[in-house]
Amino acid sequence: MEGAVGRNGIAAEPAGMAKYLGDWAGDYRGEALAVLRPGSVGEVQALMRLCNELGVGVIPQGGNTGLVSGSIDSKGGGLVVLSLERLNAIRQIDAGNFTLQADAGCVLQTIKDACEAQDCLFPLALGAQGSCQIGGNAATNAGGVNVLRYGMARDLILGLEVVLADGELWNGFSGLRKNNSGYDLKQLFIGSEGTLGVITGVEVKLFPKPARTETAYLGLASFEAAVALFNQARRDCSDLISAFEIIGAECVELARLIDPAMRAPVAAPVHVLIELSSSAAIDLNSLLAGLLGGAMENGLVTDAVLAASTTQARSFWAIREGLVEGQAKRGYHVRTDLSVRISDIPGLIERARRFVANDHPGWIPLAYGHAGDGNIHFNVLPPLGLAEHEARARGAEVITGLYEIAVGLGGSISAEHGIGRSRRKEFWAGLSPTHRRMVAALKCALDPKGLMNPGCLLPATESVP
Amino acid sequence: MEGAVGRNGIAAEPAGMAKYLGDWAGDYRGEALAVLRPGSVGEVQALMRLCNELGVGVIPQGGNTGLVSGSIDSKGGGLVVLSLERLNAIRQIDAGNFTLQADAGCVLQTIKDACEAQDCLFPLALGAQGSCQIGGNAATNAGGVNVLRYGMARDLILGLEVVLADGELWNGFSGLRKNNSGYDLKQLFIGSEGTLGVITGVEVKLFPKPARTETAYLGLASFEAAVALFNQARRDCSDLISAFEIIGAECVELARLIDPAMRAPVAAPVHVLIELSSSAAIDLNSLLAGLLGGAMENGLVTDAVLAASTTQARSFWAIREGLVEGQAKRGYHVRTDLSVRISDIPGLIERARRFVANDHPGWIPLAYGHAGDGNIHFNVLPPLGLAEHEARARGAEVITGLYEIAVGLGGSISAEHGIGRSRRKEFWAGLSPTHRRMVAALKCALDPKGLMNPGCLLPATESVP
């Protein structure tokens, strides 16, 4: 393969491969025949042609920040990893058209900074934005904290450039906001987790950069109250809500593992972090104060602090971000990414908490998430002192129980993190036979030899029913 | 087939079939073996099973309001039309979750009214909303005047229920705002114009009903100024713009064919109709006045009238709606639906006008459209008195020229109306071989016998390369 990418573009020694075979969260370790690092779209095509001829499976890899083992395979000794990191240029920003084109390997933060310099916003916002790549964001249909206002990656993507399993290049860039011409092929690749082709370029929508932001941190008596408040906020704040995060009070302890001085500005069983933003000269402060005044009067909100400064707003967000980092400090823990109808959020959390208390006493449940999207990260920490291998074995049972609760409510086991390899079995088992047949038919139509990210998302082709 | 639908569900006599074989605009007449009118999803399945066994092609049909001959076939003597009109119930409105589920045959206006009664908005808004059906809206990825704010039908759809070519039922309803679980199968059917399956149910997102609206009618010196104004408006009015329509002054004459008393409130070569709306207590009037004050100062806008009442706002919209009806009164005319990058709108209109003036003197060009989406309806009226058959022959040449201009600018020949049968040749000719192969592979994966709406969107299966 050296002929196709040159000597710098290939790594086959353990030392050189290490960084491509371990995930960000430290949950998974992978194997691979080699790591390929093409430096151009032409090189990606040449490599895919070669792999297609040789019958070698390919794992496309972005920043390797996924949480479901989609870009590494612990049993992938016969596969190659194809890293897009050397394709990392911003190709074009057109501020007048509010669009941007970039190579797949461009880091999300680089794109966000470049847009900001042109007074524009690219709104995708994730914890991993300093390392994740836009191609991976597209392949996994990334979510994050601003989905409520701006949508998932799918909603932000105008076009893709993809190298198919046989090395053919599909150019799906257009720069058009509206193009209703036949099957929308890009939709297939978005969220397909590298199983249908290698995304080499991404074209996205931009927005005016917000000039004003108002943030408040609220205390509420229950998750029911949080859902009712969200519905009121949607009406009272029109389309200007950019985040509506709920945080069970128990999560704040975790944030303190990062900064012991951290204190929630309210005392209540349920916290809400709400943010409004606008590029227009709208008095967001009165808008938010109006919503909160009404909500305190009718008892939905028991305590509220409006950020008086950017510093104070940042301190609110530090709680939300700190609790995620704090969990990581606790080592192995059960991490979920459930979604239900917004009105079912209180029921989901109540059932999940009861399940943990009854079936796994001593385990510590944490409930937080993007309430406006119906997306709850219901995570569970093992009791302090439990040996990791025991925790992992029991954790698998906890996960199964939580998935059952979400599915029982008509919900999803993957609101935003995806399926990868770690959720494939549960995902596949939950599909109807018709759905499975359709997925298999699409996979077969675009990747007839089953060489694209084998084992991710759907069973390897030979075992598809 | 009577066994599958009962006697009321089938029409095979010319009189009974007539209304299903002529389109709304009067441009096309179709043929069919029979018109099937199933009364339940089970009946749709039974009919599809039967057609699949017999090898009979099926044209799924909604309100028959499309403009590209997608739901009727002039050479369709061997096909059956499957009308969804008897599947017309709203299944559920969940105002707390801001979602609605309806049968495919439910008329768009019925859905809009039901939402309004619950203080919600379903924002899809088309001229044909009194007759078009939500299943057809999904199948054609309908657009309309509020795309700028709320997106196309694709952006509003949360789930679909589809009967596949072999009669199998795929239930893709979930009610979830966020569900990142493998291939997003519904995306395949949205905009596929009935070529992959029969949509029998649609689940959509709702929004808070706007409580305030501000409308203004503006005069500008050029389309360049209109594009610059739009970019300013995006920033100055945040996400609150619900419509930004441009109207070449020449179009107003057409509106007068509907109401001779109609007068544009400004005198200028280019008109803009801008609307802001909000469910929140935001002072939209000052917001709009602020934008327009600045734009008049820097010369972008030469004349502006803010609607002082709902009646006045309606009179502005009457011009926009009247010009479309007025064109219809003129009988046959060239109708396009082009899109380009927003910054290319002035170039598109200028080239198109020059082309008509030079190559088709006497023909009357009309330019209007959804400028915020880069979508221009560049229509051309034949000279008064030209016999219709001559006009149609010459009109085909005009269309070809206009498509070339749009494509030359990297634009699309179908921003929102779709491909159907009338644009299939040009569409297919414009695709790369790789793109064609992908489309054919998908078609084959889901409709291996090529029985779904044959001849629409892509060549009949046997002729696909």
Short mmCIF file of all heavy atoms in Angstrom, two decimals, chain B residues 130-167:
data_model
loop_
_atom_site.label_atom_id
_atom_site.label_comp_id
_atom_site.label_asym_id
_atom_site.label_seq_id
_atom_site.Cartn_x
_atom_site.Cartn_y
_atom_site.Cartn_z
N GLY B 130 -54.90 23.54 0.38
CA GLY B 130 -56.29 23.10 0.53
C GLY B 130 -56.56 21.75 -0.11
O GLY B 130 -57.59 21.12 0.16
N SER B 131 -55.70 21.29 -0.99
CA SER B 131 -55.93 19.99 -1.65
C SER B 131 -54.78 19.01 -1.52
O SER B 131 -54.99 17.80 -1.59
CB SER B 131 -56.22 20.15 -3.15
OG SER B 131 -56.31 21.47 -3.57
N CYS B 132 -53.54 19.48 -1.35
CA CYS B 132 -52.43 18.53 -1.29
C CYS B 132 -52.51 17.73 0.00
O CYS B 132 -53.13 18.15 0.97
CB CYS B 132 -51.09 19.25 -1.40
SG CYS B 132 -50.70 20.34 -0.03
N GLN B 133 -51.90 16.55 -0.02
CA GLN B 133 -51.98 15.64 1.13
C GLN B 133 -50.60 15.49 1.76
O GLN B 133 -49.58 15.54 1.07
CB GLN B 133 -52.53 14.28 0.68
CG GLN B 133 -53.95 14.38 0.12
CD GLN B 133 -54.39 13.09 -0.57
OE1 GLN B 133 -53.72 12.06 -0.49
NE2 GLN B 133 -55.54 13.16 -1.25
N ILE B 134 -50.60 15.22 3.06
CA ILE B 134 -49.34 15.19 3.80
C ILE B 134 -48.42 14.06 3.29
O ILE B 134 -47.19 14.21 3.27
CB ILE B 134 -49.60 15.07 5.32
CG1 ILE B 134 -48.31 15.26 6.12
CG2 ILE B 134 -50.25 13.74 5.69
CD1 ILE B 134 -47.78 16.67 6.11
N GLY B 135 -49.00 12.96 2.82
CA GLY B 135 -48.17 11.89 2.26
C GLY B 135 -47.46 12.34 1.00
O GLY B 135 -46.28 12.04 0.79
N GLY B 136 -48.19 13.08 0.17
CA GLY B 136 -47.58 13.64 -1.04
C GLY B 136 -46.53 14.69 -0.70
O GLY B 136 -45.48 14.77 -1.32
N ASN B 137 -46.80 15.49 0.33
CA ASN B 137 -45.82 16.47 0.79
C ASN B 137 -44.51 15.78 1.18
O ASN B 137 -43.42 16.27 0.90
CB ASN B 137 -46.32 17.25 2.01
CG ASN B 137 -47.57 18.07 1.75
OD1 ASN B 137 -48.40 18.25 2.63
ND2 ASN B 137 -47.73 18.57 0.53
N ALA B 138 -44.65 14.63 1.86
CA ALA B 138 -43.46 13.88 2.27
C ALA B 138 -42.77 13.26 1.06
O ALA B 138 -41.56 13.36 0.90
CB ALA B 138 -43.84 12.79 3.27
N ALA B 139 -43.56 12.65 0.19
CA ALA B 139 -42.99 11.94 -0.97
C ALA B 139 -42.28 12.89 -1.91
O ALA B 139 -41.34 12.50 -2.61
CB ALA B 139 -44.08 11.19 -1.71
N THR B 140 -42.72 14.17 -1.94
CA THR B 140 -42.11 15.12 -2.85
C THR B 140 -41.21 16.12 -2.13
O THR B 140 -40.69 17.03 -2.75
CB THR B 140 -43.19 15.92 -3.61
OG1 THR B 140 -44.00 16.61 -2.63
CG2 THR B 140 -44.08 15.01 -4.43
N ASN B 141 -41.05 15.97 -0.81
CA ASN B 141 -40.26 16.92 -0.02
C ASN B 141 -40.70 18.34 -0.32
O ASN B 141 -39.90 19.19 -0.77
CB ASN B 141 -38.76 16.73 -0.30
CG ASN B 141 -37.90 17.57 0.61
OD1 ASN B 141 -38.30 17.94 1.72
ND2 ASN B 141 -36.70 17.89 0.16
N ALA B 142 -41.96 18.64 -0.07
CA ALA B 142 -42.55 19.92 -0.44
C ALA B 142 -41.85 21.10 0.24
O ALA B 142 -41.29 20.96 1.33
CB ALA B 142 -44.04 19.91 -0.08
N GLY B 143 -41.89 22.24 -0.43
CA GLY B 143 -41.24 23.45 0.08
C GLY B 143 -42.26 24.48 0.51
O GLY B 143 -43.04 24.25 1.42
N GLY B 144 -42.30 25.63 -0.18
CA GLY B 144 -43.28 26.67 0.13
C GLY B 144 -42.65 27.93 0.68
O GLY B 144 -41.44 28.10 0.61
N VAL B 145 -43.52 28.80 1.23
CA VAL B 145 -43.04 30.14 1.59
C VAL B 145 -42.34 30.22 2.95
O VAL B 145 -41.70 31.22 3.25
CB VAL B 145 -44.17 31.20 1.57
CG1 VAL B 145 -44.61 31.47 0.14
CG2 VAL B 145 -45.34 30.81 2.44
N ASN B 146 -42.45 29.19 3.80
CA ASN B 146 -41.82 29.29 5.12
C ASN B 146 -40.58 28.43 5.30
O ASN B 146 -40.13 28.17 6.41
CB ASN B 146 -42.83 28.94 6.22
CG ASN B 146 -43.87 30.03 6.39
OD1 ASN B 146 -43.63 31.18 6.03
ND2 ASN B 146 -45.03 29.68 6.91
N VAL B 147 -40.01 27.98 4.18
CA VAL B 147 -38.83 27.10 4.22
C VAL B 147 -37.66 27.78 4.94
O VAL B 147 -36.94 27.17 5.73
CB VAL B 147 -38.41 26.69 2.80
CG1 VAL B 147 -37.08 25.96 2.80
CG2 VAL B 147 -39.50 25.80 2.19
N LEU B 148 -37.51 29.05 4.65
CA LEU B 148 -36.44 29.85 5.24
C LEU B 148 -36.38 29.68 6.75
O LEU B 148 -35.30 29.53 7.33
CB LEU B 148 -36.74 31.31 4.87
CG LEU B 148 -35.83 32.38 5.38
CD1 LEU B 148 -34.43 32.18 4.85
CD2 LEU B 148 -36.36 33.74 4.94
N ARG B 149 -37.53 29.68 7.41
CA ARG B 149 -37.57 29.61 8.86
C ARG B 149 -37.65 28.17 9.36
O ARG B 149 -36.98 27.81 10.32
CB ARG B 149 -38.80 30.40 9.36
CG ARG B 149 -39.16 30.25 10.85
CD ARG B 149 -38.31 31.16 11.73
NE ARG B 149 -38.90 31.35 13.04
CZ ARG B 149 -39.72 32.33 13.38
NH1 ARG B 149 -40.07 33.23 12.48
NH2 ARG B 149 -40.19 32.42 14.60
N TYR B 150 -38.46 27.36 8.70
CA TYR B 150 -38.79 26.04 9.26
C TYR B 150 -38.29 24.86 8.43
O TYR B 150 -38.42 23.72 8.85
CB TYR B 150 -40.31 25.92 9.44
CG TYR B 150 -40.90 26.93 10.39
CD1 TYR B 150 -41.56 28.06 9.92
CD2 TYR B 150 -40.79 26.77 11.77
CE1 TYR B 150 -42.12 29.00 10.79
CE2 TYR B 150 -41.34 27.70 12.65
CZ TYR B 150 -42.01 28.81 12.15
OH TYR B 150 -42.55 29.73 13.02
N GLY B 151 -37.73 25.12 7.25
CA GLY B 151 -37.20 24.03 6.43
C GLY B 151 -38.24 23.43 5.49
O GLY B 151 -39.41 23.80 5.48
N MET B 152 -37.76 22.49 4.66
CA MET B 152 -38.61 21.77 3.72
C MET B 152 -39.36 20.68 4.50
O MET B 152 -39.10 20.46 5.68
CB MET B 152 -37.76 21.10 2.65
CG MET B 152 -36.81 21.99 1.88
SD MET B 152 -37.58 22.81 0.47
CE MET B 152 -37.66 21.45 -0.72
N ALA B 153 -40.25 19.96 3.80
CA ALA B 153 -40.96 18.85 4.45
C ALA B 153 -39.96 17.91 5.14
O ALA B 153 -40.19 17.44 6.25
CB ALA B 153 -41.79 18.08 3.42
N ARG B 154 -38.81 17.64 4.49
CA ARG B 154 -37.81 16.75 5.07
C ARG B 154 -37.44 17.17 6.50
O ARG B 154 -37.28 16.34 7.38
CB ARG B 154 -36.54 16.76 4.21
CG ARG B 154 -35.46 15.79 4.69
CD ARG B 154 -34.21 15.86 3.80
NE ARG B 154 -34.49 15.59 2.40
CZ ARG B 154 -34.63 14.38 1.87
NH1 ARG B 154 -34.51 13.31 2.63
NH2 ARG B 154 -34.89 14.24 0.59
N ASP B 155 -37.31 18.47 6.70
CA ASP B 155 -36.88 18.97 8.01
C ASP B 155 -37.98 18.89 9.05
O ASP B 155 -37.72 19.03 10.24
CB ASP B 155 -36.41 20.43 7.87
CG ASP B 155 -35.31 20.56 6.85
OD1 ASP B 155 -34.24 19.99 7.07
OD2 ASP B 155 -35.52 21.21 5.81
N LEU B 156 -39.21 18.72 8.59
CA LEU B 156 -40.35 18.73 9.51
C LEU B 156 -40.83 17.32 9.86
O LEU B 156 -41.68 17.15 10.72
CB LEU B 156 -41.51 19.52 8.88
CG LEU B 156 -41.20 20.98 8.55
CD1 LEU B 156 -42.33 21.58 7.73
CD2 LEU B 156 -40.98 21.79 9.83
N ILE B 157 -40.29 16.33 9.17
CA ILE B 157 -40.78 14.95 9.35
C ILE B 157 -39.96 14.20 10.38
O ILE B 157 -38.74 14.13 10.29
CB ILE B 157 -40.77 14.21 7.99
CG1 ILE B 157 -41.83 14.82 7.08
CG2 ILE B 157 -41.02 12.71 8.19
CD1 ILE B 157 -41.82 14.30 5.66
N LEU B 158 -40.64 13.64 11.37
CA LEU B 158 -39.96 12.84 12.40
C LEU B 158 -40.05 11.35 12.11
O LEU B 158 -39.21 10.58 12.55
CB LEU B 158 -40.62 13.08 13.77
CG LEU B 158 -40.26 14.36 14.51
CD1 LEU B 158 -41.06 14.43 15.80
CD2 LEU B 158 -38.77 14.41 14.80
N GLY B 159 -41.09 10.93 11.43
CA GLY B 159 -41.25 9.51 11.17
C GLY B 159 -42.18 9.26 10.00
O GLY B 159 -42.97 10.12 9.62
N LEU B 160 -42.05 8.08 9.40
CA LEU B 160 -42.93 7.68 8.30
C LEU B 160 -43.41 6.25 8.54
O LEU B 160 -42.73 5.47 9.21
CB LEU B 160 -42.18 7.69 6.96
CG LEU B 160 -41.77 9.02 6.35
CD1 LEU B 160 -41.05 8.76 5.03
CD2 LEU B 160 -42.98 9.92 6.11
N GLU B 161 -44.54 5.95 7.96
CA GLU B 161 -45.01 4.56 7.86
C GLU B 161 -45.13 4.28 6.37
O GLU B 161 -45.72 5.08 5.64
CB GLU B 161 -46.37 4.46 8.55
CG GLU B 161 -46.98 3.08 8.56
CD GLU B 161 -48.44 3.16 9.02
OE1 GLU B 161 -49.29 3.57 8.19
OE2 GLU B 161 -48.73 2.80 10.16
N VAL B 162 -44.51 3.18 5.92
CA VAL B 162 -44.41 2.95 4.48
C VAL B 162 -44.77 1.49 4.15
O VAL B 162 -44.31 0.57 4.82
CB VAL B 162 -42.97 3.22 3.98
CG1 VAL B 162 -42.83 2.95 2.48
CG2 VAL B 162 -42.53 4.64 4.30
N VAL B 163 -45.60 1.30 3.12
CA VAL B 163 -45.79 -0.04 2.57
C VAL B 163 -44.82 -0.19 1.41
O VAL B 163 -44.80 0.62 0.48
CB VAL B 163 -47.25 -0.25 2.10
CG1 VAL B 163 -47.39 -1.59 1.38
CG2 VAL B 163 -48.20 -0.19 3.30
N LEU B 164 -43.98 -1.21 1.49
CA LEU B 164 -42.95 -1.43 0.48
C LEU B 164 -43.52 -2.09 -0.77
O LEU B 164 -44.68 -2.53 -0.78
CB LEU B 164 -41.82 -2.28 1.08
CG LEU B 164 -41.16 -1.65 2.32
CD1 LEU B 164 -40.13 -2.61 2.92
CD2 LEU B 164 -40.51 -0.32 1.98
N ALA B 165 -42.70 -2.18 -1.79
CA ALA B 165 -43.16 -2.70 -3.08
C ALA B 165 -43.74 -4.12 -2.97
O ALA B 165 -44.64 -4.49 -3.72
CB ALA B 165 -42.00 -2.68 -4.08
N ASP B 166 -43.25 -4.90 -2.01
CA ASP B 166 -43.73 -6.28 -1.88
C ASP B 166 -44.88 -6.41 -0.88
O ASP B 166 -45.29 -7.51 -0.55
CB ASP B 166 -42.58 -7.21 -1.47
CG ASP B 166 -41.95 -6.81 -0.13
OD1 ASP B 166 -42.47 -5.85 0.51
OD2 ASP B 166 -40.97 -7.43 0.27
N GLY B 167 -45.39 -5.27 -0.38
CA GLY B 167 -46.52 -5.30 0.54
C GLY B 167 -46.13 -5.32 2.01
O GLY B 167 -46.98 -5.20 2.88
#
